Amino acid sequence: MKRLVLFAALVLVTSCQTVYQCPKDGRVFKCSSEPKEVCGIKTVHGEQIKEAFVNSCQSCSLGKVDLTVDGKCENYLAEAEFCPPSYKDVNACTEQFQPQCAWFNQSVKCLVYPWAIEVQNRCYGCIIKNVLFITEGDCPKQV
């Protein structure tokens, strides 16, 4: 039963995948109230704080978050550190060794669990195409 619950949670994780970087130029947005729940993420003292919002536009307009990811915050692993879209422009990473597990988004169709790859550090994980978030340490071996 425990394995089934964990598997169901991981399926939810892979069902919502778009990360959106909020503009930092102080713009005011006209937002619809159409619900498309997002998890708003703000980095405070190096830690990502997650909070639910009605939609991406409203979360960015309020200026409370740096980025959003589609879906409810609780649909993702609690320890998930989402990769900002700006990481995709990084050309080089430090050689610091701090093992991370880089989790792929739904566009990567893995045949077996986990839907992730072990990497040297956060930077190496977040620059990989289709990586949605990282978790600290080695990837889990089984469900």
Side-chain angles (χ1 to χ4, degrees):
M1 181 66 175
K2 185 177 178 183
R3 288 182 183 193
L4 181 61
V5 170
L6 182 57
F7 179 74
L10 289 170
V11 168
L12 285 174
V13 164
T14 60
S15 66
C16 302
Q17 304 297 297
T18 305
V19 176
Y20 174 74
Q21 183 87 41
C22 295
K24 297 184 189 244
D25 60 6
R27 283 186 252 184
V28 176
F29 300 96
K30 271 190 139 174
C31 300
S32 78
S33 58
E34 183 179 333
K36 184 179 179 196
E37 191 164 18
V38 297
C39 181
I41 301 153
K42 177 119 182 138
T43 302
V44 179
H45 304 298
E47 182 181 337
Q48 287 186 347
I49 308 298
K50 301 169 184 94
E51 182 181 348
F53 289 91
V54 173
N55 60 42
S56 188
C57 181
Q58 287 186 7
S59 65
C60 291
S61 181
L62 294 171
K64 291 187 172 186
V65 299
D66 302 320
L67 53 102
T68 65
V69 63
D70 290 343
K72 297 178 180 186
C73 296
E74 57 269 10
N75 288 355
Y76 297 96
L77 298 173
E79 64 273 18
E81 291 286 325
F82 291 92
C83 297
S86 59
Y87 263 82
K88 301 307 178 201
D89 297 329
V90 172
N91 293 322
C93 296
T94 67
E95 294 301 317
Q96 174 186 6
F97 186 72
Q98 186 178 9
Q100 304 286 310
C101 183
W103 295 83
F104 292 110
N105 65 25
Q106 69 185 17
S107 69
V108 176
K109 307 293 184 205
C110 297
L111 299 176
V112 296
Y113 177 86
W115 304 285
I117 186 171
E118 291 180 5
V119 293
Q120 182 170 330
N121 59 45
R122 178 186 172 94
C123 179
Y124 277 105
C126 286
I127 65 171
I128 297 172
K129 183 179 180 181
N130 298 319
V131 165
L132 182 63
F133 63 85
I134 58 99
T135 54
E136 220 171 282
D138 296 334
C139 294
K141 302 298 181 219
Q142 61 184 359
V143 177

